[in-house]
Amino acid sequence: MAIRVIEEKCKGCALCEKNCPFDAIQVKGQKAVIGMGCTECGNCIENCPFDAIEKTSPEKKAADVSAYRGVWVFAEQRDNEIQSVVFELLGEGRKLADELETELCAVLCGCGIREQAEELIACGADKVYVADHEILKHYRTESYSRVIFEAIERYKPEVVLLGATHIGRDLGPCLAVKAGTGLTADCTKLEIDRENRRLQQTRPAFGGNLMATIICPSHRPQMSTVRPGVMQKSVRDGGRTGALIDLPITFTEDEIPTKILDIIKSVGEKVSLTDAKIIVAGGMGLGSAEGFKLLKELADRLGGVVASSRACVDAGWIAPSYQVGQTGTTVKPAVYIACGISGAIQHLAGMQNSDYIIAINKNENAPIFEVADYGIVGDLYRVIPELMEALG
Ligand code: FAD
Ligand code: SF4
């Protein structure tokens, strides 16, 4: 879909300009011009007295899939620090690229970001496409999607992966719409069907009760956002070499409707669950928010961090950033100690790939024991103090 001004009919009355809720239309030289902020809401069409604006839906032709090669990873950065999910995407992307016998490329956008390209190469990228410009200093949908979309059109990647972060979840769909292709959100597994080079994108569906594998057979690139914490990180090799390709900036600041006036960082509690080696997680079996103090004591003794089931977050016992599971964080620590957690499928979705799972639950039939390597049937308020005593 696209919004188009029929120039022969447009009288330059500027009614559309006044009525666009997104300030995405401007009258220039007596003609309305649709800008980058257009959301295709159609408001201007209804308001134009001369029927000079229309919505076009070009027939979607299947792409020539053989023209697309290469696996791309969006190298998300914040404050010029590459986000840890990027290294997971590089690890997974390397496998996919090797299966497809093609190259793995990273796309790096920002301002003063160039030197980070070396790190991406060391972590598996064969090429890094770099867009280094003041206009890209902070993430904005319009600027990032435009520069990356233009690169997609030019270099035609076969697969594009983004982290399922706030930025990736915003950018991915926007790129997919621009490129006229599909996107599978929140993937937990990616595989290549070698017969036809299709990316098999698996993600939880129907509240996590089944896993759906989705393909994008006729359009390219095949696009996925991938859950942080699920894929193995790439192994760094400082001796690797690769190419740097500069991406041009073909637009000016005036063309970007979004302006960043100020950045206010969250002052809420923050915890990095994805990088934790030891996690002591609590569920409703704690009985109250107070119970997390005991878990914190155990976590401190073990050099780990505290996490939680969603039920405790919903009960207001702990901040949402501590939640593990399908709608929380996916974790893969060396040791996950589940205390008073029943083991609902949505919780398991976020922790069952932990190296060792230890469950403490007073109900011997709790489903958590089905995934536990070690199970302790008992009251956590008796078991945890005893554990700490044993630790000395
Ligand atoms: P409960 O299921 O109430 O389990 C409490 C457990 O504690 C019981 O097994 C009980 O035997 C045990 N217990 C009680 N007292 C003690 C004691 N003194 N000592 C030892 N054991 C004790 N949940 C998540 O965790 N993460 C998610 O991301 C998530 N996403 C969801 C998404 C959707 C769409 C839906 C529908 C649900 C989601 N849920 C999620 C909720 C999930 O279905 C469960 O409701 C939740 O995980 C249950 O939390 P719990 O195990 O803490 O509580
Ligand atoms: Fe503005 Fe909506 Fe018209 Fe786009 S379609 S120019 S957003 S009124």
Side-chain angles (χ1 to χ4, degrees):
M1 293 275 205
I3 298 291
R4 189 179 86 91
V5 176
I6 307 164
E7 291 206 352
E8 312 81 79
K9 290 189 180 178
C10 180
K11 308 275 187 256
C13 71
L15 261 177
C16 53
E17 191 181 285
K18 288 190 199 105
N19 280 298
C20 173
F22 300 96
D23 288 336
I25 195 159
Q26 270 186 317
V27 175
K28 293 182 189 163
Q30 295 294 299
K31 300 286 171 207
V33 178
I34 312 284
M36 275 167 66
C38 177
T39 62
E40 300 177 9
C41 71
N43 212 21
C44 52
I45 301 175
E46 286 159 28
N47 283 296
C48 178
F50 307 104
D51 292 334
I53 306 183
E54 64 175 1
K55 205 173 220 178
T56 57
S57 35
E59 203 151 291
K60 238 189 198 177
K61 281 201 230 121
D64 171 13
V65 295
S66 65
Y68 291 75
R69 287 293 179 265
V71 174
W72 282 19
V73 163
F74 170 59
E76 179 177 334
Q77 54 84 13
R78 292 183 193 197
D79 294 332
N80 283 10
E81 191 185 320
I82 305 284
Q83 298 298 287
S84 88
V85 67
V86 174
F87 301 106
E88 295 164 13
L89 295 179
L90 286 172
E92 189 63 18
R94 187 69 268 167
K95 278 191 240 156
L96 301 177
D98 290 347
E99 286 230 25
L100 289 165
E101 295 176 3
T102 186
E103 60 191 8
L104 174 64
C105 308
V107 185
L108 180 62
C109 302
C111 178
I113 192 78
R114 224 183 150 70
E115 62 195 38
Q116 300 281 8
E118 294 303 324
E119 190 57 21
L120 298 169
I121 290 169
C123 292
D126 301 313
K127 266 185 201 162
V128 182
Y129 292 100
V130 185
D132 196 336
H133 194 281
E134 178 66 28
I135 212 167
L136 301 170
K137 186 168 169 49
H138 299 296
Y139 174 76
R140 284 178 293 174
T141 315
E142 302 91 346
S143 52
Y144 272 56
S145 66
R146 180 144 165 194
V147 77
I148 300 174
F149 169 62
E150 286 173 1
I152 288 175
E153 282 218 301
R154 181 158 178 204
Y155 296 105
K156 298 195 180 335
E158 195 168 9
V159 171
V160 176
L161 307 179
L162 304 96
T165 59
H166 292 300
I167 288 181
R169 285 171 199 226
D170 180 73
L171 178 63
C174 187
L175 286 173
V177 169
K178 282 180 188 275
T181 188
L183 175 137
T184 305
D186 234 6
C187 294
T188 52
K189 189 168 151 195
L190 298 170
E191 283 174 318
I192 297 292
D193 181 341
R194 290 183 90 161
E195 245 175 61
N196 45 32
R197 302 180 70 88
R198 282 182 192 160
L199 180 66
Q200 297 182 322
Q201 307 160 88
T202 302
R203 56 152 296 153
F206 297 105
N209 289 313
L210 60 85
M211 300 301 280
T213 299
I214 296 161
I215 53 166
C216 179
S218 323
H219 297 89
R220 292 292 178 272
Q222 302 165 90
M223 293 189 61
S224 321
T225 59
V226 178
R227 283 207 122 196
V230 176
M231 308 295 183
Q232 290 286 351
K233 278 188 183 160
S234 54
V235 179
R236 192 178 188 284
D237 171 3
R240 288 191 88 249
T241 53
L244 246 72
I245 294 150
D246 283 305
L247 296 177
I249 307 297
T250 58
F251 49 92
T252 61
E253 182 61 43
D254 293 346
E255 292 175 68
I256 315 285
T258 314
K259 306 292 168 214
I260 297 193
L261 304 180
D262 196 5
I263 294 177
I264 299 160
K265 297 213 167 145
S266 159
V267 288
E269 282 181 79
K270 269 201 183 153
V271 60
S272 176
L273 294 177
T274 36
D275 296 328
K277 294 277 169 272
I278 297 179
I279 292 180
V280 182
M284 291 307 276
L286 289 174
S288 73
E290 286 294 295
F292 279 103
K293 285 189 185 151
L294 181 64
L295 300 197
K296 174 89 172 64
E297 249 183 82
L298 178 59
D300 287 346
R301 290 282 274 279
L302 297 169
V305 296
V306 165
S308 152
S309 72
R310 172 162 154 179
C312 299
V313 172
D314 291 346
W317 294 355
I318 194 162
S321 56
Y322 289 86
Q323 184 187 319
V324 166
Q326 189 194 318
T327 43
T329 304
T330 302
V331 297
K332 206 155 36 110
V335 182
Y336 188 90
I337 309 177
C339 311
I341 293 179
S342 58
I345 187 142
Q346 296 89 356
H347 187 80
L348 301 185
M351 46 64 77
Q352 61 193 351
N353 290 330
S354 305
D355 291 349
Y356 282 99
I357 298 172
I358 302 169
I360 307 169
N361 196 303
K362 66 180 185 189
N363 174 7
E364 64 181 47
N365 296 316
I368 191 76
F369 288 126
E370 284 166 32
V371 298
D373 298 286
Y374 297 98
I376 304 170
V377 180
D379 183 340
L380 66 94
Y381 286 103
R382 285 192 55 193
V383 175
I384 294 177
E386 278 180 37
L387 264 179
M388 289 202 286
E389 209 179 302
L391 284 167

